[in-house]
Amino acid sequence: IGQFFIVLSFGAALLSFISYYFATTDDAGKADSSWQRLGRLGFYVNSISILGMGTCLFYVLYNHYFEYHYAWAYTSRSLPVYYLVSGFWNGQEGGFLLWAFWQAVLGNVLIARAKSWERPVMTVVALSQVILGTMVLGIDIFGQRIGSSPFLLLRNSGIEAPIFSQPNYLDFIKDGQGMNPSLQNYWMVIHPPTLFLGFASIIV
């Protein structure tokens, strides 16, 4: 389900970008063009998909599903809940997801409030969402891997180990690697969300 939301968010962001681009160039004089409405629809779907991704990822982390590489690499059973929350953005994929979330929030504010600024600014915001989407897509195109999905299974993550030849290998994985001790600080819960909000604001 999480991977489905990733693909949907990427496609919706691409639709939104293309639509807003044509609304800016072709329909610049029209008050409420069909391209603009399509751009808004695409961005709304992108926003909902990002919320879906975030919900799925937190569910994986909170329930200690260590068959997923992201949960295994960045969390453990001994971590308190607030560090499980910060484990969400502990890895690169989660950081990109957090960045995309803040851009979605600001994009929806712009749609509601920006008026004449909406089309050109949302063209850039939607393009940024497309680029961030490629960072969490995690697919192979012509043998080249694009991005890395936070929903990548441990056995498919490139780790070479004899354990993966066993069909019941999950019986032997009792815990994750946990969080780097230097990151087990309350600032890790506060700092990245404010940092990525700043990144998203700079795009605007």
Side-chain angles (χ1 to χ4, degrees):
I1 295 172
Q3 191 65 26
F4 166 77
F5 278 128
I6 289 176
V7 174
L8 182 60
S9 71
F10 175 77
L14 189 60
L15 172 66
S16 182
F17 163 65
I18 293 170
S19 300
Y20 270 119
Y21 174 78
F22 284 118
T24 304
T25 55
D26 291 356
D27 299 333
K30 297 181 181 177
D32 188 25
S33 70
S34 56
W35 281 118
Q36 184 175 357
R37 289 194 297 273
L38 194 57
R40 287 175 176 174
L41 176 63
F43 201 82
Y44 292 149
V45 173
N46 173 260
S47 302
I48 292 167
S49 301
I50 288 169
L51 288 175
M53 270 191 281
T55 302
C56 289
L57 183 56
F58 184 73
Y59 185 82
V60 164
L61 298 177
Y62 185 77
N63 290 285
H64 307 297
Y65 290 153
F66 297 124
E67 62 263 42
Y68 294 94
H69 179 263
Y70 199 87
W72 174 81
Y74 300 116
T75 64
S76 65
R77 295 184 186 278
S78 61
L79 289 176
V81 174
Y82 52 89
Y83 285 144
L84 288 178
V85 172
S86 64
F88 185 99
W89 46 77
N90 200 4
Q92 176 177 279
E93 301 92 334
F96 284 129
L97 182 53
L98 181 61
W99 190 347
F101 166 77
W102 281 126
Q103 278 189 177
V105 170
L106 293 177
N108 281 284
V109 171
L110 284 168
I111 289 172
R113 308 284 298 183
K115 297 179 182 175
S116 63
W117 286 17
E118 179 187 344
R119 296 179 192 181
V121 177
M122 285 303 297
T123 302
V124 177
V125 172
L127 174 60
S128 183
Q129 290 291 73
V130 171
I131 294 168
L132 289 176
T134 64
M135 296 295 102
V136 293
L137 206 49
I139 60 169
D140 291 313
I141 298 179
F142 304 119
Q144 184 67 38
R145 189 148 190 88
I146 298 179
S148 180
S149 170
F151 303 106
L152 184 68
L153 293 174
L154 190 58
R155 66 175 181 265
N156 299 328
S157 64
I159 299 174
E160 297 292 335
I163 190 175
F164 296 121
S165 64
Q166 304 290 327
N168 62 334
Y169 74 93
L170 286 174
D171 293 339
F172 303 99
I173 301 174
K174 303 298 184 183
D175 206 355
Q177 287 188 316
M179 187 178 290
N180 187 318
S182 65
L183 299 179
Q184 294 184 34
N185 185 295
Y186 66 91
W187 286 110
M188 189 60 187
V189 182
I190 303 167
H191 169 65
T194 55
L195 181 71
F196 283 108
L197 175 58
F199 288 164
S201 301
I202 287 171
I203 294 295
V204 176

